[in-house]
């Protein structure tokens, strides 16, 4: 599909107008996406037709310059913009720049909903079956990005209104006052909807989710916005009597109402609930729910988060110091994660990023992840020349209440892995479990005694007689006590190896051939790695 085909998709598209970039109407459209937050430009892909209300653009020409330039640099096919809500006109210098670069900028009527624009284009590109999946994935991404930018209730309802093509009003449950002030919506409409809610309040309380009310020439959809134990507000839409919300519209509203609820709670005195889902997850890592399973279950239920679901945590550390590069690094790694069909949450803490990922396909085999993360690091190294990256990955965690342990696992893997395996870049906790155990009990008297009676003795002998018994023992353990493999690795004759083993046995008053003593030596050697 080419850009020029947009204007003839159906009668609605005939009111679209080309504002700039006529020489680019042959550009190939591969996908259509919506952008309503500034960071959205970093997720633009070649062939994207980007639709926006201009919420992400300001009256500042430089900001619009940057965004249009980045879209062109990232290979976007075209930009469609609704003029009249946040931006009245495209600055002349942008028109000129778009013309020079054959980048079409298209006027989209302000009354056109995202659904009426996106669905016909997607149908042309793929199929009607993919529309629901695409639009719901898109709004989840938009909400994720919006929560990073100190969102407000107006931004949330405007975004929802643009997706479903209807004005959205929210009224407090206790006094029916309007929550989201909007100068575009007329006072008589606000009053009319408020009265509909008051007249049907009893019915609303008996409905499980939303109520549909027909009244003369209008139809009203009223959704309850709940906390875990009360109704906070009502989300309301007024549409013509002969129209109705689609199943996709209702799913979109279901996606966004929990975010609205969290916003209302966090900006009132009713609750100390966290503002975003991300903050909820990361408060678990901070052990804020220790010994309070009921609170965790209530808040998880309120946010529709499953307690018993497989998740894992991975942490990436970088050597990047420059603030702008760190910001680019974050956006790069998040964009890589968004290419995969998975649910994740992340938090940037200085030069490390912590990811919580829902596990859909791995079952219990976390080792399947290693090649993916190794490729990810190689891709990062191409974008950030001369920088180093290390990744630590936890075991699969099957309960939300133990997620803080998964965080400890990923942290330990990256900490001990960088010391024991400097040449590697991805560290699985599975490979370091015994080291974690030993580090927790390294000051145990019995363990200290084992260490002194083995490793300390061997080190002392090596120092005094200039021998290599410790190196020999380490290689023997690495080769699973195979004589031939160990001799080959050490470049010595088998008889020489037997002599060294006899010397170790004599020095430690032991017998390496016995399985229980082999285990003690393995433990002592791993403890030595930690202490060194």
């Amino acid at each position: 599909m080419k850009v020029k085909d947009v204007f003839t998709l159906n009668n609605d598209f005939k009111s679209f107008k080309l504002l700039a970039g006529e020489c680019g109407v042959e550009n190939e459209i591969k996908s259509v996406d919506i952008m309503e937050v500034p960071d959205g430009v970093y997720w633009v892909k070649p062939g994207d037709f980007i639709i926006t209300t201009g919420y992400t653009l300001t009256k500042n020409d430089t900001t619009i310059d940057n965004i249009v330039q980045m879209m062109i640099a990232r290979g976007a096919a075209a930009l469609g913009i609704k003029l009249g809500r946040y931006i009245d006109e495209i600055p002349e210098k942008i028109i000129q720049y778009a013309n020079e670069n054959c980048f079409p900028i298209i006027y989209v009527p302000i009354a056109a909903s995202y659904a009426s624009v996106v669905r016909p284009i997607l149908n042309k590109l793929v199929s009607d079956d993919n529309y629901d999946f695409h639009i719901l994935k898109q709004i989840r991404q938009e909400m994720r990005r919006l929560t990073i930018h100190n969102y407000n209730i107006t931004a949330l309802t405007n975004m929802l209104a643009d997706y479903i093509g209807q004005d959205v009003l929210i009224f407090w449950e206790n006094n029916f006052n309007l929550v989201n002030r909007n100068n575009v919506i007329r006072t008589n409409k606000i009053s009319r909807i408020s009265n509909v809610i008051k007249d049907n309040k009893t019915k609303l309380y008996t409905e499980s989710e939303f109520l549909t009310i027909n009244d003369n020439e209008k139809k009203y959809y009223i959704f309850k916005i709940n906390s875990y134990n009360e109704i906070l507000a009502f989300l309301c839409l007024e549409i013509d009597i002969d129209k109705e919300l689609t199943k996709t519209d209702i799913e979109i509203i279901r996606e966004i109402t929990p975010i609205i609820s969290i916003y209302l709670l966090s900006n009132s005195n009713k609750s100390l609930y966290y503002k975003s889902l991300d903050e909820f997850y990361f408060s678990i890592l901070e052990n804020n729910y220790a010994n309070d399973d009921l609170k965790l279950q209530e808040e998880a239920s309120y946010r529709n988060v499953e307690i018993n679901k497989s998740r894992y945590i991975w942490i990436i550390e970088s050597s990047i110091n420059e603030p702008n590069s760190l910001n680019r690094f974050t956006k790069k790694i998040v964009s890589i994660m968004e290419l995969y069909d998975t649910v994740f949450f992340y938090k940037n803490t200085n030069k490390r990023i912590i990811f919580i990922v829902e596990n859909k396909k791995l079952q219990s085999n976390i080792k399947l992840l290693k090649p993916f993360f190794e490729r990810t690091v190689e891709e990062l190294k191409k974008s950030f020349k001369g920088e180093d990256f290390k990744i630590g990955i936890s075991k699969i965690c099957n309960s939300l209440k133990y997620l803080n342990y998964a965080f400890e696992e990923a942290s330990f893997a990256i900490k001990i892995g960088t010391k024991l395996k400097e040449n590697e870049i991805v560290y699985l906790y599975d490979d370091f479990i015994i080291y974690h155990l030993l580090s927790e009990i390294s000051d145990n008297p019995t363990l200290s005694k084992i260490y002194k009676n083995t490793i300390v003795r061997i080190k002392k002998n090596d120092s005094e007689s200039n021998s290599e018994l410790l190196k020999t023992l380490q290689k023997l353990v690495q080769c699973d006590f195979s004589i031939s493999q160990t001799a080959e690795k050490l470049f010595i004759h088998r008889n020489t190896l037997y002599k060294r083993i006899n010397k170790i046995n004599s020095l430690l008053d032991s017998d390496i051939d016995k399985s229980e003593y082999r285990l003690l030596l393995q433990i002592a050697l791993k403890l030595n790695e930690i202490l060194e």
Side-chain angles (χ1 to χ4, degrees), residues 17-236:
K17 297 177 183 177
L18 185 66
L19 302 178
E22 185 175 2
C23 57
V25 295
E26 294 290 332
N27 291 352
E28 189 76 22
I29 296 175
K30 298 179 180 178
S31 181
V32 57
D33 281 302
I34 297 155
M35 187 182 76
E36 292 301 358
V37 294
D39 285 356
V41 72
Y42 291 100
W43 280 267
V44 172
K45 303 182 295 299
D48 277 355
F49 178 26
I50 304 299
I51 313 293
T52 182
T53 62
Y55 180 76
T56 186
L57 309 175
T58 67
K59 304 293 183 180
N60 184 309
D61 289 0
T62 304
T63 300
I64 304 174
D65 273 353
N66 291 341
I67 289 178
V68 171
Q69 287 173 9
M70 288 188 70
M71 285 185 182
I72 293 171
R74 298 179 79 87
L79 170 65
I81 184 167
K82 293 184 179 183
L83 297 179
R85 177 172 287 185
Y86 299 109
I87 183 169
D88 295 325
E89 61 181 10
I90 306 294
E92 185 59 36
K93 60 189 292 189
I94 306 301
I95 298 291
Q96 183 179 345
Y97 186 78
N99 286 332
E100 292 171 355
N101 288 273
C102 295
F103 181 65
I105 298 179
I106 299 171
Y107 163 80
V108 178
I110 194 169
S113 69
Y114 283 151
S116 67
V117 177
V118 173
R119 184 185 284 274
I121 296 175
L122 275 181
N123 287 348
K124 184 79 172 179
L125 293 173
V126 282
S127 67
D128 190 55
D129 294 337
N130 287 329
Y131 173 76
D132 289 355
F133 171 80
H134 178 92
I135 206 73
L136 290 172
K137 180 179 179 181
Q138 185 70 40
I139 197 168
R140 287 167 190 152
Q141 291 177 349
E142 286 293 322
M143 287 191 295
R144 180 190 301 280
R145 295 167 191 164
L146 197 62
T147 57
I148 298 172
H149 293 277
N150 297 318
Y151 65 97
N152 56 45
I153 195 68
T154 301
L156 284 169
T157 52
N158 284 346
M159 182 174 73
L160 178 57
D162 286 318
Y163 269 93
I164 63 178
Q166 303 290 341
D167 290 331
V168 177
L169 294 174
I170 298 177
F171 296 87
W172 288 111
E173 182 274 342
N174 58 346
N175 55 20
F176 304 105
N177 289 336
L178 188 65
V179 177
N180 58 320
R181 295 293 169 184
N182 192 327
N183 295 329
V184 177
I185 303 175
R186 287 175 292 183
T187 304
N188 62 340
K189 182 174 183 178
I190 295 171
S191 177
R192 184 168 62 249
I193 296 176
S194 176
N195 288 332
V196 170
I197 297 172
K198 292 176 184 177
D199 294 343
N200 293 275
K201 189 173 180 180
T202 303
K203 290 182 182 179
L204 281 167
Y205 278 104
T206 59
E207 291 294 326
S208 59
E209 185 178 9
F210 68 91
L211 183 66
T212 305
I213 299 167
N214 296 327
D215 183 19
N216 297 325
E217 298 180 351
K218 297 294 179 181
K219 181 183 293 183
Y220 300 90
Y221 286 85
I222 305 175
F223 292 77
K224 293 187 288 188
I225 299 178
N226 298 309
S227 70
Y228 73 97
N229 61 357
E230 63 180 329
I231 299 175
L232 296 173
F234 300 106
L235 184 151
C236 312

Side-chain angles (χ1 to χ4, degrees), residues 226-230 261 265 271 273 298-299 301-303:
N226 298 309
S227 70
Y228 73 97
N229 61 357
E230 63 180 329
S261 177
L265 283 167
S271 176
Y273 275 56
E298 287 178 346
E299 295 199 24
S301 175
Y302 163 62
R303 290 169 173 81

